[in-house]
Amino acid sequence: GPSWRSSARRSGRPTGTRAGVGASQRSAIAFAAMHIRLNAFLASALTAASTFAQTPQLRTANEQGRIPILEYHLVGDKDSRWGRSAEHFRRDLELLYARGYRPITVAQLVDGAIDVPAGMSPVVVTFDDASPSQFRYVERDGTREIDPSSAVGIWIAFNRTHPDWKNRATFCVLSGAAAGHNLFGDRGIEGQKSTWRLEKLRYLAGQGFELCAHTLWHADLAKYSDAVVQEQIARNILAIDSAVSGYRVRTFALPLGHWPRNRALATAGTWRDPMSGREVRYAFDAVLEVTGTPVPGPASDRFNPRALQRIQVFGDALEKMLDRLDASGVRFVSSGNGHVKRSGVPVPPRR
């Protein structure tokens, strides 16, 4: 500015040289230069971190690592403790995809059938309670279609634009609960017809999603007798079988995360229908708890499919969990072999 030029003239030094800059100005210039260099360094570091997160070739295989099992409930207009807005759910899928995760089902996890590309990581996405917000039909001009704002609608649309994000998620359904939590809606609740319920199960199974048991009406199994526990689970299995005959339900999600007093009944049991005399047996390969941390992979001797912890997705829990996995170095990273040998269990044949 003018004062700088006049100072140079008074000093007898050539105009425009740095010699005429006062001490405070020199400090300001030095600080600005340091600030520019710092910003450049941070930008470079962020670019490197982003490249690492999105470039599978930069990740070393780690099949002893941990795998997140995510837990969703409602998908609707706004975020809540038990709900995710449709827009936020879309962003969750985008975040997982960008950070190198690809979906598998609980059944695949148990089998070690982790067929995600080398350098990528598996993620298991589960949906509890079978609300209409997860899978809703809408009718327009006499034509029925999947509501694009429901979880299934969002997932299918994401799959169309990201073909390697496959139709692999696990739906843990209720078959006799109130408020529309009856195989994704009934009796006109949220516009859903009771006649659509079994068709929705058939659609999910046909698309490659996994159907999972969650009891008849979300019973707190810790409060009930062995007989009631087995009835709750067996009748839920019957409902699934009504839609997809012979479907093998391999996964059970504990309502509220509460185990029955006889814990073994969460894995296997028998119930006899008093009306028909039909005996219904169930035997699960996996039991899902409600909350916890990412689980050890199937190659780990700590892998316990009969007590799999999940991460409830609300607020910024997903982002924080992914950051912790990366920072700790315990993230499962695929070698690309397609199958991971379970500790003490033979590798299943490729399907």
Side-chain angles (χ1 to χ4, degrees):
S3 61
W4 177 52
R5 289 196 294 271
S6 63
S7 173
R9 291 192 189 98
R10 285 196 301 271
S11 67
R13 299 184 182 102
T15 302
T17 65
R18 293 180 62 87
V21 179
S24 62
Q25 290 175 311
R26 286 196 299 273
S27 297
I29 293 171
F31 177 80
M34 181 181 70
H35 187 68
I36 291 170
R37 288 194 297 272
L38 178 60
N39 281 342
F41 171 77
L42 290 175
S44 175
L46 287 172
T47 299
S50 176
T51 301
F52 176 82
Q54 299 183 40
T55 308
Q57 291 82 0
L58 297 180
R59 302 190 202 101
T60 302
N62 177 19
E63 295 187 340
Q64 291 289 328
R66 288 181 171 264
I67 299 170
I69 304 177
L70 308 182
E71 178 183 348
Y72 288 92
H73 292 85
L74 302 171
V75 176
D77 297 331
K78 61 181 180 180
D79 288 332
S80 66
R81 178 61 182 83
W82 300 107
R84 200 70 159 167
S85 72
E87 181 56 34
H88 209 156
F89 180 62
R90 288 189 189 94
R91 293 203 304 268
D92 289 346
L93 299 187
E94 292 166 357
L95 173 67
L96 289 164
Y97 189 89
R99 294 187 63 159
Y101 286 86
R102 298 295 181 269
I104 64 172
T105 64
V106 176
Q108 286 180 282
L109 174 64
V110 171
D111 288 343
I114 301 178
D115 58 347
V116 302
M120 297 292 185
S121 300
V123 60
V124 180
V125 181
T126 66
F127 296 90
D128 281 14
D129 302 345
S131 70
S133 70
Q134 294 173 10
F135 191 174
R136 184 169 44 239
Y137 281 138
V138 291
E139 290 183 312
R140 294 189 177 97
D141 301 323
T143 301
R144 186 176 68 219
E145 60 188 47
I146 298 172
D147 187 339
S149 68
S150 68
V152 172
I154 293 168
W155 190 290
I156 295 296
F158 193 79
N159 166 255
R160 290 194 194 103
T161 55
H162 304 76
D164 54 338
W165 182 270
K166 299 180 181 179
N167 292 336
R168 294 173 172 173
T170 298
F171 287 86
C172 301
V173 302
L174 303 172
S175 51
H181 294 272
N182 184 333
L183 303 181
F184 308 106
D186 63 341
R187 295 175 294 156
I189 295 172
E190 295 189 38
Q192 302 308 287
K193 297 179 180 179
S194 298
T195 54
W196 294 345
R197 293 174 300 165
L198 301 188
E199 181 180 332
K200 290 178 180 179
L201 292 186
R202 286 191 288 270
Y203 176 86
L204 291 174
Q207 290 294 314
F209 296 106
E210 179 184 6
L211 303 178
C212 156
H214 199 35
T215 73
L216 189 60
W217 43 258
H218 211 269
D220 183 350
L221 299 182
K223 295 181 177 180
Y224 293 99
S225 67
D226 290 359
V228 172
V229 168
Q230 292 173 97
E231 179 183 1
Q232 279 281 325
I233 298 173
R235 289 178 63 186
N236 190 220
I237 297 293
L238 277 177
I240 296 173
D241 187 73
S242 296
V244 189
S245 180
Y247 186 89
R248 184 186 170 202
V249 182
R250 302 182 58 191
T251 305
F252 175 60
L254 293 165
L256 306 171
H258 294 174
W259 290 85
R261 285 170 286 187
N262 181 353
R263 288 174 67 102
L265 294 179
T267 302
T270 304
W271 173 74
R272 184 178 297 277
D273 185 342
M275 300 294 292
S276 66
R278 176 183 177 184
E279 185 175 80
V280 181
R281 296 178 180 272
Y282 62 87
F284 302 119
D285 296 325
V287 177
L288 301 175
E289 297 181 329
V290 164
T291 188
T293 59
V295 302
S300 170
D301 57 8
R302 298 175 59 194
F303 179 65
N304 180 9
R306 302 293 173 81
L308 294 172
Q309 296 182 350
R310 295 187 283 174
I311 293 91
Q312 297 177 13
V313 181
F314 64 95
D316 59 357
L318 177 58
E319 293 90 338
K320 287 183 175 179
M321 181 273 297
L322 296 179
D323 289 342
R324 284 194 297 270
L325 272 179
D326 283 339
S328 64
V330 298
R331 169 178 172 173
F332 184 106
V333 179
S334 173
S335 68
N337 290 334
H339 282 89
V340 176
K341 186 178 185 302
R342 276 188 56 188
S343 180
V345 177
V347 175
R350 287 184 178 273
R351 288 197 285 258

